[in-house]
């Protein structure tokens, strides 16, 4: 499983992702047979060496062979001045007067994917990316998903672009994605619907909940395809810069900007013996409630509401009053449940919370036989290979009641290394 770090300081498109992913895999041939695998022989994969502000990298382009020869020559061998600024034509300036699939519906594209000779997981990824775009277009045009014409992404080149990314994502076996805020560009873009603001409405819809900024140069720097691929990857945006890249790849765009028009994607070092997980930490300070109300019953209810872990500590608050601070670790999806529980069961009238990351050793729970009977234990292994075993307190407490010994005595008599 791989963790990747995406730096999208000059926007995103499907081609940029294609190029960077191929470089990360050091495998450009993986896409050569994709047109045949999709039964779309009227397309081919072209790979060209380009230079972006001194950065030499390979540009992977999917070429629609139905395009006119002149237009194809301009796009394929020009000076990379046509990028994805025309929203209607996405990355390659299609001529939509022809009908080589430019009016496909979602079900037509889904059939092409289903009949392709690619992995099951790659098919699922491709379906998910198209669905992200379809839902955005459906909302913007206020039309049912099934009736939307995929003008912008129904040509063979755009289909192969998206499916190619799905194949590469599957091959990379990506488990976690970290990303910087996305530069969208600004201004207006000409589309078949008339002039539209940048980012175009469908792109803006896909980029909801993703940090973006306009940058300093006019132009459409994020395509719907690029936005949808990023959305599928479900990146985490964090201010931390403590990463260890093991491999760096650049995916160029077609147009030249003042800033280098590339996306940089890095493979990050990950340790198989630990996992970095994101949580929310919630805190509240209380000075008008007796701590005796925070006993076993309260704590059991707190865990049931969604708390993963918690602690209670004393503090001196304003006016010299003694109080205590309650700190809770929880998953972000449980914020409402936990906060409601605290408001109902404590005197607090305000909570603070923020995102935290926790490095966790892999753990497994099992039953182990002891002289006192079976005990549930949690077992972890440290990076150096040392096994740590911890008995569950509830089992120790039950044995204590039956044997007339304290829980501490029971724990010390159990040898889990036998």
């Amino acid at each position: 499983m791989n963790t990747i770090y995406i730096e999208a300081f000059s926007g995103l498109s499907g081609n940029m992702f294609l190029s960077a992913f191929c470089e990360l895999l050091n495998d450009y041939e993986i896409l050569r047979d994709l047109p045949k695998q999709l039964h779309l022989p009227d397309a081919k994969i072209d790979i060209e060496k380009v230079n972006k502000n001194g950065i030499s990298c390979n540009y992977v382009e999917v070429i629609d062979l139905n395009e006119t020869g002149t237009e194809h020559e301009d796009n394929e061998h020009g000076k990379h001045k046509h990028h994805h600024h025309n929203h209607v034509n996405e990355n390659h300036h299609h001529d939509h007067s022809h009908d080589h699939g430019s009016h496909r519906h979602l079900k037509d594209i889904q059939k092409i994917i289903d009949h392709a000779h690619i992995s099951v997981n790659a098919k699922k990824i491709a379906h998910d990316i198209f669905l992200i775009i379809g839902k955005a277009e459906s909302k913007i045009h206020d039309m049912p998903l099934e009736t939307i014409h995929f003008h912008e992404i129904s040509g063979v080149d755009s289909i192969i672009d998206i499916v190619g990314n799905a194949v590469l994502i599957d091959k990379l076996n990506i488990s976690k994605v970290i990303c910087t805020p996305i530069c969208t560009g600004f201004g207006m873009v000409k589309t078949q619907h008339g002039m539209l603001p940048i980012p175009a409405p469908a792109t803006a819809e896909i980029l909801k909940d993703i940090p973006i900024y306009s940058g300093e140069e006019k132009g459409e720097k994020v395509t719907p395809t690029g936005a949808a691929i990023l959305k599928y990857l479900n990146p985490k945006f964090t201010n931390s810069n403590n990463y260890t890249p093991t491999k760096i790849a650049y995916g160029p765009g077609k147009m030249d900007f003042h800033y280098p028009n590339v996306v940089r994607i890095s493979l990050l070092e990950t340790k198989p013996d630990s996992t970095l997980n994101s949580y929310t930490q919630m805190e509240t300070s209380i000075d008008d409630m007796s701590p005796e109300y925070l006993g076993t019953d309260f704590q059991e209810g707190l865990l049931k509401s969604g708390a993963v872990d918690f602690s209670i500590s004393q503090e001196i608050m304003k006016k010299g009053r003694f109080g205590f601070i309650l700190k809770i670790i929880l998953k972000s999806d449980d914020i409402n449940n936990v906060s409601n529980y605290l408001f109902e069961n404590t005197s607090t009238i305000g909570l603070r919370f923020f995102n935290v990351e926790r490095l966790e050793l892999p753990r497994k729970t099992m039953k182990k036989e002891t002289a006192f009977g079976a005990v549930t234990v949690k077992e972890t292994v440290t990076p150096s290979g040392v096994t740590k075993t911890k008995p569950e307190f509830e089992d120790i407490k039950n044995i204590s009641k039956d044997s007339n010994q304290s829980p501490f005595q029971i724990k010390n008599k159990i040898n889990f290394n036998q």
Side-chain angles (χ1 to χ4, degrees):
M1 304 292 279
N2 288 311
T3 298
I4 63 171
Y5 180 45
I6 300 174
E7 296 172 273
F9 29 69
S10 284
L12 283 172
S13 70
N15 294 76
M16 295 169 81
F17 270 122
L18 270 183
S19 304
F21 286 151
C22 281
E23 186 176 345
L24 279 182
L25 288 167
N26 193 28
D27 186 357
Y28 291 87
E29 296 304 314
I30 190 173
L31 298 180
R32 291 290 191 187
D33 293 330
L34 194 56
K36 291 181 181 178
Q37 291 170 336
L38 284 165
H39 308 290
L40 296 172
D42 48 347
K44 76 168 186 173
I45 307 295
D46 185 61
I47 301 167
E48 182 181 358
K49 181 73 72 174
V50 297
N51 187 294
K52 297 294 179 181
N53 292 28
I55 301 172
S56 179
C57 42
N58 287 320
Y59 178 73
V60 178
E61 183 177 14
V62 186
I63 297 172
D64 187 341
L65 298 178
N66 290 285
E67 290 182 351
T68 61
T70 301
E71 184 181 15
H72 171 64
E73 287 296 316
D74 288 343
N75 281 334
E76 185 179 2
H77 301 294
K79 295 183 179 179
H80 296 271
K81 299 223 169 164
H82 310 297
H83 189 37
H84 40 269
H85 291 229
N86 189 312
H87 176 61
V88 172
N89 297 330
E90 186 86 357
N91 295 321
H92 306 298
H93 291 257
H94 303 141
D95 177 3
H96 289 287
S97 61
H98 56 69
D99 67 350
H100 62 282
S102 60
H103 297 288
R104 288 186 175 98
H105 291 87
L106 180 60
K107 64 180 181 180
D108 301 318
I109 297 172
Q110 289 172 334
K111 287 180 181 178
I112 292 173
I113 296 171
D114 287 336
H115 293 139
H117 299 291
I118 58 177
S119 73
V120 173
N121 193 47
K123 290 181 182 180
K124 180 183 181 304
I125 295 170
H127 280 308
D128 288 346
I129 294 172
F130 272 107
L131 193 59
I132 290 170
I133 299 173
K135 287 181 177 178
E137 295 283 357
S138 173
K139 181 174 181 180
I140 294 302
H141 299 302
D142 193 22
M143 294 175 63
L145 185 61
E146 297 76 16
T147 63
I148 289 289
H149 283 131
F150 279 70
H151 297 288
E152 293 86 358
I153 58 168
S154 65
V156 293
D157 48 354
S158 293
I159 292 174
I160 292 173
D161 191 4
I162 292 175
V163 177
N165 272 290
V167 169
L168 295 171
I169 291 169
D170 178 43
K171 186 80 172 178
L172 279 165
N173 197 19
I174 298 169
S175 60
K176 183 175 181 180
V177 178
I178 304 167
C179 191
T180 62
I182 308 300
C183 179
T184 62
F186 64 93
M188 293 286 171
V189 62
K190 184 178 180 180
T191 78
Q192 67 177 27
H193 304 290
M195 299 300 293
L196 292 174
I198 294 173
T203 304
E205 178 68 24
I206 295 170
L207 290 175
K208 281 196 311 187
D209 301 320
I210 290 178
I212 60 175
Y213 65 101
S214 59
E216 300 176 12
E217 295 178 272
K218 285 186 177 181
E220 185 186 29
K221 294 191 175 184
V222 180
T223 67
T225 298
I229 294 168
L230 182 71
K231 191 79 167 185
Y232 169 81
L233 291 171
N234 190 28
K236 303 294 183 185
F237 294 85
T238 172
N239 293 326
S240 173
N241 55 5
N242 296 320
Y243 307 119
T244 305
T246 58
K247 189 171 184 178
I248 299 174
Y250 292 91
K254 184 168 282 191
M255 188 169 180
D256 291 325
F257 297 130
H258 176 69
Y259 297 105
N261 186 19
V262 296
V263 60
R264 180 162 60 196
I265 304 181
S266 305
L267 278 180
L268 302 186
E269 178 182 331
T270 55
K271 295 184 180 297
D273 44 37
S274 62
T275 305
L276 191 64
N277 290 322
S278 297
Y279 292 94
T280 294
Q281 181 163 319
M282 183 178 291
E283 297 180 357
T284 183
S285 297
I286 301 174
D287 64 359
D288 58 349
M289 175 181 174
S290 173
E292 65 185 346
Y293 293 104
L294 303 180
T296 302
D297 291 342
F298 169 82
Q299 294 177 19
E300 289 178 352
L302 183 57
L303 291 171
K304 288 180 181 179
S305 72
V308 175
D309 203 354
F310 62 88
S311 65
I312 304 171
S313 58
Q314 282 191 307
E315 64 178 354
I316 298 178
M317 301 181 64
K318 63 184 180 182
K319 300 181 181 179
R321 292 195 293 257
F322 285 98
F324 53 88
I325 180 171
L326 176 59
K327 297 181 180 180
I328 305 160
I329 298 293
L330 62 145
K331 294 182 179 179
S332 58
D333 292 343
D334 293 319
I335 288 177
N336 286 338
N337 289 339
V338 175
S339 61
N340 288 343
Y341 181 81
L342 292 175
F343 285 135
E344 296 290 348
N345 292 278
T346 73
S347 61
T348 188
I349 58 174
L351 303 166
R352 53 189 177 271
F353 57 90
F354 47 89
N355 294 329
V356 297
E357 290 187 328
R358 188 166 79 165
L359 196 61
E360 302 173 348
L361 290 174
R363 63 199 65 186
K364 55 184 178 180
T365 301
M366 65 188 75
K367 288 281 188 179
K368 284 203 170 185
E369 289 296 328
T370 72
F372 300 95
V375 175
T376 303
V377 299
K378 184 182 295 179
E379 186 175 278
T380 59
V381 180
T382 69
S384 65
V386 176
T387 299
K388 296 193 290 188
T389 306
K390 177 185 177 183
E392 291 294 343
F393 178 73
E394 289 301 319
D395 284 11
I396 297 295
K397 184 174 68 174
N398 291 335
I399 292 173
S400 170
K401 292 178 180 177
D402 296 337
S403 63
N404 198 27
Q405 298 180 66
S406 72
F408 185 75
Q409 290 172 324
I410 297 296
K411 180 181 179 299
N412 286 338
K413 290 180 179 180
I414 296 176
N415 184 359
F416 291 107
N417 295 319
Q418 290 180 341

